[in-house]
Amino acid sequence: MGRGKPPIGAQKKLTIKAVSNQDKKELRKLADDFGLLYRKEVQEIIETCKNYSEGQQKIMRVYTAVYLK
């Protein structure tokens, strides 16, 4: 093989970094401040979100659905 780009199948795939422990802590505090920390869906959001911003937006959607009907 010569130099240049590797074949398509050989290229590395981008990895998506999970949210940091500090961000999880901040999201838990946010959820607790809004009285949502006990909800299972909020716990799942905190554990599965990709970054703080995504988690915050999803928690706020739950808050809106629960308290601002």
Side-chain angles (χ1 to χ4, degrees), residues 9-40:
Q11 291 181 354
K12 290 184 178 180
K13 294 183 179 182
L14 296 175
T15 57
I16 299 172
K17 185 179 177 190
V19 66
S20 72
N21 287 334
Q22 181 63 35
D23 286 345
K24 284 183 183 180
K25 183 178 177 181
E26 294 293 326
L27 288 169
R28 283 188 195 98
K29 173 125 177 69
L30 175 71
D32 190 38
D33 289 348
F34 285 111
L36 298 171
L37 190 56
Y38 68 93
R39 297 179 69 91
K40 183 177 175 153

